[in-house]
PDB file of all heavy atoms in Angstrom:
ATOM      1  N   HIS A  25      39.334  43.353 -32.345  1.00 98.00           N
ATOM      2  CA  HIS A  25      39.111  43.417 -33.795  1.00 98.00           C
ATOM      3  C   HIS A  25      37.725  44.009 -34.006  1.00 98.00           C
ATOM      4  O   HIS A  25      36.795  43.714 -33.241  1.00 98.00           O
ATOM      5  CB  HIS A  25      39.197  42.025 -34.423  1.00 98.00           C
ATOM      6  CG  HIS A  25      39.228  42.029 -35.925  1.00 98.00           C
ATOM      7  ND1 HIS A  25      40.363  42.329 -36.637  1.00 98.00           N
ATOM      8  CD2 HIS A  25      38.273  41.773 -36.847  1.00 98.00           C
ATOM      9  CE1 HIS A  25      40.107  42.257 -37.939  1.00 98.00           C
ATOM     10  NE2 HIS A  25      38.840  41.927 -38.092  1.00 98.00           N
ATOM     11  N   ILE A  26      37.603  44.831 -35.044  1.00 98.00           N
ATOM     12  CA  ILE A  26      36.325  45.447 -35.399  1.00 98.00           C
ATOM     13  C   ILE A  26      36.005  45.082 -36.844  1.00 98.00           C
ATOM     14  O   ILE A  26      36.906  44.970 -37.687  1.00 98.00           O
ATOM     15  CB  ILE A  26      36.393  46.980 -35.223  1.00 98.00           C
ATOM     16  CG1 ILE A  26      36.469  47.329 -33.729  1.00 98.00           C
ATOM     17  CG2 ILE A  26      35.195  47.673 -35.859  1.00 98.00           C
ATOM     18  CD1 ILE A  26      36.668  48.804 -33.448  1.00 98.00           C
ATOM     19  N   GLN A  27      34.723  44.894 -37.127  1.00 98.00           N
ATOM     20  CA  GLN A  27      34.270  44.718 -38.506  1.00 98.00           C
ATOM     21  C   GLN A  27      33.145  45.696 -38.795  1.00 98.00           C
ATOM     22  O   GLN A  27      32.436  46.136 -37.885  1.00 98.00           O
ATOM     23  CB  GLN A  27      33.819  43.279 -38.756  1.00 98.00           C
ATOM     24  CG  GLN A  27      34.979  42.290 -38.757  1.00 98.00           C
ATOM     25  CD  GLN A  27      34.539  40.855 -38.922  1.00 98.00           C
ATOM     26  OE1 GLN A  27      33.523  40.435 -38.382  1.00 98.00           O
ATOM     27  NE2 GLN A  27      35.310  40.073 -39.661  1.00 98.00           N
ATOM     28  N   ILE A  28      32.978  46.017 -40.082  1.00 98.00           N
ATOM     29  CA  ILE A  28      32.006  47.037 -40.460  1.00 98.00           C
ATOM     30  C   ILE A  28      31.183  46.593 -41.665  1.00 98.00           C
ATOM     31  O   ILE A  28      31.651  45.872 -42.542  1.00 98.00           O
ATOM     32  CB  ILE A  28      32.687  48.387 -40.779  1.00 98.00           C
ATOM     33  CG1 ILE A  28      33.732  48.227 -41.899  1.00 98.00           C
ATOM     34  CG2 ILE A  28      33.312  48.989 -39.525  1.00 98.00           C
ATOM     35  CD1 ILE A  28      34.326  49.550 -42.374  1.00 98.00           C
ATOM     36  N   ALA A  29      29.940  47.054 -41.673  1.00 98.00           N
ATOM     37  CA  ALA A  29      29.009  46.989 -42.795  1.00 98.00           C
ATOM     38  C   ALA A  29      27.833  47.854 -42.374  1.00 98.00           C
ATOM     39  O   ALA A  29      27.702  48.211 -41.200  1.00 98.00           O
ATOM     40  CB  ALA A  29      28.559  45.555 -43.083  1.00 98.00           C
ATOM     41  N   ASN A  30      26.978  48.207 -43.326  1.00 98.00           N
ATOM     42  CA  ASN A  30      25.908  49.156 -43.015  1.00 98.00           C
ATOM     43  C   ASN A  30      24.531  48.532 -43.216  1.00 98.00           C
ATOM     44  O   ASN A  30      24.200  48.108 -44.319  1.00 98.00           O
ATOM     45  CB  ASN A  30      26.048  50.415 -43.879  1.00 98.00           C
ATOM     46  CG  ASN A  30      25.595  51.665 -43.142  1.00 98.00           C
ATOM     47  OD1 ASN A  30      24.710  51.611 -42.294  1.00 98.00           O
ATOM     48  ND2 ASN A  30      26.212  52.788 -43.464  1.00 98.00           N
ATOM     49  N   PRO A  31      23.727  48.439 -42.139  1.00 97.00           N
ATOM     50  CA  PRO A  31      22.354  47.992 -42.287  1.00 97.00           C
ATOM     51  C   PRO A  31      21.546  49.008 -43.123  1.00 97.00           C
ATOM     52  O   PRO A  31      21.960  50.168 -43.214  1.00 97.00           O
ATOM     53  CB  PRO A  31      21.828  47.953 -40.852  1.00 97.00           C
ATOM     54  CG  PRO A  31      23.038  48.030 -39.976  1.00 97.00           C
ATOM     55  CD  PRO A  31      24.076  48.764 -40.762  1.00 97.00           C
ATOM     56  N   PRO A  32      20.435  48.597 -43.701  1.00 96.00           N
ATOM     57  CA  PRO A  32      19.794  47.300 -43.516  1.00 96.00           C
ATOM     58  C   PRO A  32      20.281  46.213 -44.483  1.00 96.00           C
ATOM     59  O   PRO A  32      19.963  45.045 -44.283  1.00 96.00           O
ATOM     60  CB  PRO A  32      18.318  47.609 -43.792  1.00 96.00           C
ATOM     61  CG  PRO A  32      18.374  48.722 -44.804  1.00 96.00           C
ATOM     62  CD  PRO A  32      19.568  49.557 -44.427  1.00 96.00           C
ATOM     63  N   ASN A  33      21.052  46.576 -45.510  1.00 97.00           N
ATOM     64  CA  ASN A  33      21.411  45.610 -46.551  1.00 97.00           C
ATOM     65  C   ASN A  33      22.818  45.040 -46.426  1.00 97.00           C
ATOM     66  O   ASN A  33      23.256  44.274 -47.264  1.00 97.00           O
ATOM     67  CB  ASN A  33      21.263  46.261 -47.932  1.00 97.00           C
ATOM     68  CG  ASN A  33      19.844  46.662 -48.223  1.00 97.00           C
ATOM     69  OD1 ASN A  33      18.922  45.886 -48.047  1.00 97.00           O
ATOM     70  ND2 ASN A  33      19.656  47.930 -48.632  1.00 97.00           N
ATOM     71  N   ARG A  34      23.527  45.417 -45.390  1.00 98.00           N
ATOM     72  CA  ARG A  34      24.918  45.007 -45.168  1.00 98.00           C
ATOM     73  C   ARG A  34      25.837  45.513 -46.285  1.00 98.00           C
ATOM     74  O   ARG A  34      26.792  44.869 -46.674  1.00 98.00           O
ATOM     75  CB  ARG A  34      25.049  43.488 -45.022  1.00 98.00           C
ATOM     76  CG  ARG A  34      26.290  43.090 -44.233  1.00 98.00           C
ATOM     77  CD  ARG A  34      26.318  41.612 -43.882  1.00 98.00           C
ATOM     78  NE  ARG A  34      27.465  41.318 -43.035  1.00 98.00           N
ATOM     79  CZ  ARG A  34      27.689  40.151 -42.448  1.00 98.00           C
ATOM     80  NH1 ARG A  34      26.853  39.149 -42.617  1.00 98.00           N
ATOM     81  NH2 ARG A  34      28.752  39.988 -41.697  1.00 98.00           N
ATOM     82  N   PHE A  35      25.531  46.720 -46.774  1.00 98.00           N
ATOM     83  CA  PHE A  35      26.317  47.328 -47.827  1.00 98.00           C
ATOM     84  C   PHE A  35      27.522  48.066 -47.235  1.00 98.00           C
ATOM     85  O   PHE A  35      27.795  48.015 -46.041  1.00 98.00           O
ATOM     86  CB  PHE A  35      25.464  48.300 -48.639  1.00 98.00           C
ATOM     87  CG  PHE A  35      24.479  47.633 -49.581  1.00 98.00           C
ATOM     88  CD1 PHE A  35      23.397  48.355 -50.070  1.00 98.00           C
ATOM     89  CD2 PHE A  35      24.627  46.315 -49.988  1.00 98.00           C
ATOM     90  CE1 PHE A  35      22.494  47.773 -50.944  1.00 98.00           C
ATOM     91  CE2 PHE A  35      23.724  45.715 -50.863  1.00 98.00           C
ATOM     92  CZ  PHE A  35      22.658  46.456 -51.337  1.00 98.00           C
ATOM     93  N   GLU A  36      28.239  48.789 -48.121  1.00 98.00           N
ATOM     94  CA  GLU A  36      29.425  49.552 -47.755  1.00 98.00           C
ATOM     95  C   GLU A  36      29.075  50.635 -46.724  1.00 98.00           C
ATOM     96  O   GLU A  36      27.910  51.019 -46.574  1.00 98.00           O
ATOM     97  CB  GLU A  36      30.049  50.186 -48.996  1.00 98.00           C
ATOM     98  CG  GLU A  36      29.103  51.018 -49.839  1.00 98.00           C
ATOM     99  CD  GLU A  36      28.333  50.199 -50.877  1.00 98.00           C
ATOM    100  OE1 GLU A  36      28.393  48.951 -50.844  1.00 98.00           O
ATOM    101  OE2 GLU A  36      27.673  50.845 -51.727  1.00 98.00           O
ATOM    102  N   PRO A  37      30.080  51.153 -46.002  1.00 98.00           N
ATOM    103  CA  PRO A  37      29.823  52.069 -44.885  1.00 98.00           C
ATOM    104  C   PRO A  37      29.048  53.335 -45.234  1.00 98.00           C
ATOM    105  O   PRO A  37      28.372  53.887 -44.350  1.00 98.00           O
ATOM    106  CB  PRO A  37      31.230  52.403 -44.376  1.00 98.00           C
ATOM    107  CG  PRO A  37      32.020  51.192 -44.692  1.00 98.00           C
ATOM    108  CD  PRO A  37      31.494  50.714 -46.020  1.00 98.00           C
ATOM    109  N   ASP A  38      29.132  53.818 -46.456  1.00 97.00           N
ATOM    110  CA  ASP A  38      28.407  55.046 -46.788  1.00 97.00           C
ATOM    111  C   ASP A  38      27.070  54.760 -47.471  1.00 97.00           C
ATOM    112  O   ASP A  38      26.505  55.636 -48.139  1.00 97.00           O
ATOM    113  CB  ASP A  38      29.265  55.977 -47.657  1.00 97.00           C
ATOM    114  CG  ASP A  38      29.732  55.328 -48.953  1.00 97.00           C
ATOM    115  OD1 ASP A  38      29.485  54.118 -49.151  1.00 97.00           O
ATOM    116  OD2 ASP A  38      30.362  56.031 -49.769  1.00 97.00           O
ATOM    117  N   ASN A  39      26.529  53.568 -47.286  1.00 97.00           N
ATOM    118  CA  ASN A  39      25.274  53.190 -47.932  1.00 97.00           C
ATOM    119  C   ASN A  39      24.403  52.454 -46.911  1.00 97.00           C
ATOM    120  O   ASN A  39      24.372  51.234 -46.855  1.00 97.00           O
ATOM    121  CB  ASN A  39      25.561  52.297 -49.142  1.00 97.00           C
ATOM    122  CG  ASN A  39      24.320  51.999 -49.964  1.00 97.00           C
ATOM    123  OD1 ASN A  39      23.204  52.242 -49.529  1.00 97.00           O
ATOM    124  ND2 ASN A  39      24.527  51.444 -51.144  1.00 97.00           N
ATOM    125  N   GLY A  40      23.721  53.245 -46.055  1.00 97.00           N
ATOM    126  CA  GLY A  40      22.875  52.628 -45.045  1.00 97.00           C
ATOM    127  C   GLY A  40      22.578  53.569 -43.906  1.00 97.00           C
ATOM    128  O   GLY A  40      22.760  54.779 -43.996  1.00 97.00           O
ATOM    129  N   GLU A  41      22.152  53.003 -42.782  1.00 97.00           N
ATOM    130  CA  GLU A  41      21.600  53.808 -41.701  1.00 97.00           C
ATOM    131  C   GLU A  41      22.618  54.287 -40.682  1.00 97.00           C
ATOM    132  O   GLU A  41      22.319  55.168 -39.873  1.00 97.00           O
ATOM    133  CB  GLU A  41      20.516  53.003 -40.976  1.00 97.00           C
ATOM    134  CG  GLU A  41      21.020  51.777 -40.248  1.00 97.00           C
ATOM    135  CD  GLU A  41      19.895  50.868 -39.768  1.00 97.00           C
ATOM    136  OE1 GLU A  41      18.918  50.691 -40.502  1.00 97.00           O
ATOM    137  OE2 GLU A  41      20.008  50.355 -38.640  1.00 97.00           O
ATOM    138  N   ILE A  42      23.844  53.741 -40.678  1.00 97.00           N
ATOM    139  CA  ILE A  42      24.843  54.112 -39.675  1.00 97.00           C
ATOM    140  C   ILE A  42      25.705  55.270 -40.177  1.00 97.00           C
ATOM    141  O   ILE A  42      26.143  55.271 -41.336  1.00 97.00           O
ATOM    142  CB  ILE A  42      25.749  52.911 -39.330  1.00 97.00           C
ATOM    143  CG1 ILE A  42      24.935  51.781 -38.707  1.00 97.00           C
ATOM    144  CG2 ILE A  42      26.866  53.326 -38.379  1.00 97.00           C
ATOM    145  CD1 ILE A  42      25.735  50.515 -38.448  1.00 97.00           C
ATOM    146  N   ASN A  43      25.971  56.224 -39.303  1.00 97.00           N
ATOM    147  CA  ASN A  43      26.835  57.370 -39.618  1.00 97.00           C
ATOM    148  C   ASN A  43      28.289  56.971 -39.342  1.00 97.00           C
ATOM    149  O   ASN A  43      28.841  57.266 -38.281  1.00 97.00           O
ATOM    150  CB  ASN A  43      26.419  58.575 -38.776  1.00 97.00           C
ATOM    151  CG  ASN A  43      27.285  59.798 -39.050  1.00 97.00           C
ATOM    152  OD1 ASN A  43      28.103  59.814 -39.962  1.00 97.00           O
ATOM    153  ND2 ASN A  43      27.115  60.832 -38.241  1.00 97.00           N
ATOM    154  N   TYR A  44      28.905  56.297 -40.306  1.00 98.00           N
ATOM    155  CA  TYR A  44      30.257  55.791 -40.084  1.00 98.00           C
ATOM    156  C   TYR A  44      31.318  56.884 -39.935  1.00 98.00           C
ATOM    157  O   TYR A  44      32.265  56.701 -39.161  1.00 98.00           O
ATOM    158  CB  TYR A  44      30.640  54.793 -41.167  1.00 98.00           C
ATOM    159  CG  TYR A  44      30.302  53.366 -40.776  1.00 98.00           C
ATOM    160  CD1 TYR A  44      29.231  52.701 -41.338  1.00 98.00           C
ATOM    161  CD2 TYR A  44      31.043  52.696 -39.816  1.00 98.00           C
ATOM    162  CE1 TYR A  44      28.903  51.398 -40.962  1.00 98.00           C
ATOM    163  CE2 TYR A  44      30.736  51.398 -39.429  1.00 98.00           C
ATOM    164  CZ  TYR A  44      29.669  50.752 -40.006  1.00 98.00           C
ATOM    165  OH  TYR A  44      29.357  49.471 -39.623  1.00 98.00           O
ATOM    166  N   PRO A  45      31.259  58.008 -40.639  1.00 97.00           N
ATOM    167  CA  PRO A  45      32.284  59.033 -40.379  1.00 97.00           C
ATOM    168  C   PRO A  45      32.376  59.417 -38.903  1.00 97.00           C
ATOM    169  O   PRO A  45      33.473  59.606 -38.369  1.00 97.00           O
ATOM    170  CB  PRO A  45      31.822  60.211 -41.255  1.00 97.00           C
ATOM    171  CG  PRO A  45      31.127  59.551 -42.401  1.00 97.00           C
ATOM    172  CD  PRO A  45      30.402  58.375 -41.780  1.00 97.00           C
ATOM    173  N   TYR A  46      31.236  59.496 -38.244  1.00 97.00           N
ATOM    174  CA  TYR A  46      31.239  59.806 -36.810  1.00 97.00           C
ATOM    175  C   TYR A  46      31.933  58.699 -36.025  1.00 97.00           C
ATOM    176  O   TYR A  46      32.749  58.957 -35.129  1.00 97.00           O
ATOM    177  CB  TYR A  46      29.799  59.986 -36.334  1.00 97.00           C
ATOM    178  CG  TYR A  46      29.676  60.359 -34.874  1.00 97.00           C
ATOM    179  CD1 TYR A  46      29.738  61.691 -34.469  1.00 97.00           C
ATOM    180  CD2 TYR A  46      29.513  59.380 -33.898  1.00 97.00           C
ATOM    181  CE1 TYR A  46      29.638  62.038 -33.129  1.00 97.00           C
ATOM    182  CE2 TYR A  46      29.415  59.709 -32.555  1.00 97.00           C
ATOM    183  CZ  TYR A  46      29.466  61.040 -32.173  1.00 97.00           C
ATOM    184  OH  TYR A  46      29.382  61.380 -30.850  1.00 97.00           O
ATOM    185  N   ILE A  47      31.634  57.451 -36.367  1.00 98.00           N
ATOM    186  CA  ILE A  47      32.246  56.315 -35.663  1.00 98.00           C
ATOM    187  C   ILE A  47      33.752  56.271 -35.913  1.00 98.00           C
ATOM    188  O   ILE A  47      34.543  56.056 -34.987  1.00 98.00           O
ATOM    189  CB  ILE A  47      31.564  55.006 -36.088  1.00 98.00           C
ATOM    190  CG1 ILE A  47      30.130  54.978 -35.548  1.00 98.00           C
ATOM    191  CG2 ILE A  47      32.357  53.793 -35.594  1.00 98.00           C
ATOM    192  CD1 ILE A  47      29.304  53.817 -36.054  1.00 98.00           C
ATOM    193  N   PHE A  48      34.162  56.476 -37.156  1.00 98.00           N
ATOM    194  CA  PHE A  48      35.596  56.452 -37.456  1.00 98.00           C
ATOM    195  C   PHE A  48      36.331  57.549 -36.689  1.00 98.00           C
ATOM    196  O   PHE A  48      37.432  57.323 -36.168  1.00 98.00           O
ATOM    197  CB  PHE A  48      35.824  56.619 -38.954  1.00 98.00           C
ATOM    198  CG  PHE A  48      35.327  55.470 -39.796  1.00 98.00           C
ATOM    199  CD1 PHE A  48      34.966  55.674 -41.121  1.00 98.00           C
ATOM    200  CD2 PHE A  48      35.228  54.189 -39.288  1.00 98.00           C
ATOM    201  CE1 PHE A  48      34.522  54.625 -41.904  1.00 98.00           C
ATOM    202  CE2 PHE A  48      34.781  53.116 -40.055  1.00 98.00           C
ATOM    203  CZ  PHE A  48      34.429  53.341 -41.376  1.00 98.00           C
ATOM    204  N   ASP A  49      35.746  58.721 -36.624  1.00 97.00           N
ATOM    205  CA  ASP A  49      36.377  59.811 -35.865  1.00 97.00           C
ATOM    206  C   ASP A  49      36.529  59.427 -34.401  1.00 97.00           C
ATOM    207  O   ASP A  49      37.566  59.701 -33.769  1.00 97.00           O
ATOM    208  CB  ASP A  49      35.542  61.095 -35.982  1.00 97.00           C
ATOM    209  CG  ASP A  49      35.687  61.770 -37.334  1.00 97.00           C
ATOM    210  OD1 ASP A  49      36.601  61.403 -38.101  1.00 97.00           O
ATOM    211  OD2 ASP A  49      34.859  62.659 -37.636  1.00 97.00           O
ATOM    212  N   LEU A  50      35.511  58.800 -33.844  1.00 97.00           N
ATOM    213  CA  LEU A  50      35.575  58.399 -32.444  1.00 97.00           C
ATOM    214  C   LEU A  50      36.634  57.326 -32.219  1.00 97.00           C
ATOM    215  O   LEU A  50      37.408  57.396 -31.263  1.00 97.00           O
ATOM    216  CB  LEU A  50      34.220  57.883 -31.981  1.00 97.00           C
ATOM    217  CG  LEU A  50      34.235  57.384 -30.532  1.00 97.00           C
ATOM    218  CD1 LEU A  50      33.286  58.176 -29.660  1.00 97.00           C
ATOM    219  CD2 LEU A  50      33.906  55.898 -30.452  1.00 97.00           C
TER     220      LEU A  50
END
């Protein structure tokens, strides 16, 4: 199981420091 949120504020995937489109593609 995987869970997602984006640091530093634990906001939605497109609001923060992680490049989620890259992760989703992988």
Side-chain angles (χ1 to χ4, degrees):
H25 190 78
I26 290 175
Q27 290 177 322
I28 57 173
N30 214 329
N33 297 311
R34 204 171 185 173
F35 286 161
E36 53 273 9
D38 58 355
N39 187 347
E41 66 191 40
I42 297 175
N43 180 8
Y44 268 106
Y46 182 87
I47 291 173
F48 293 154
D49 285 347
L50 177 119

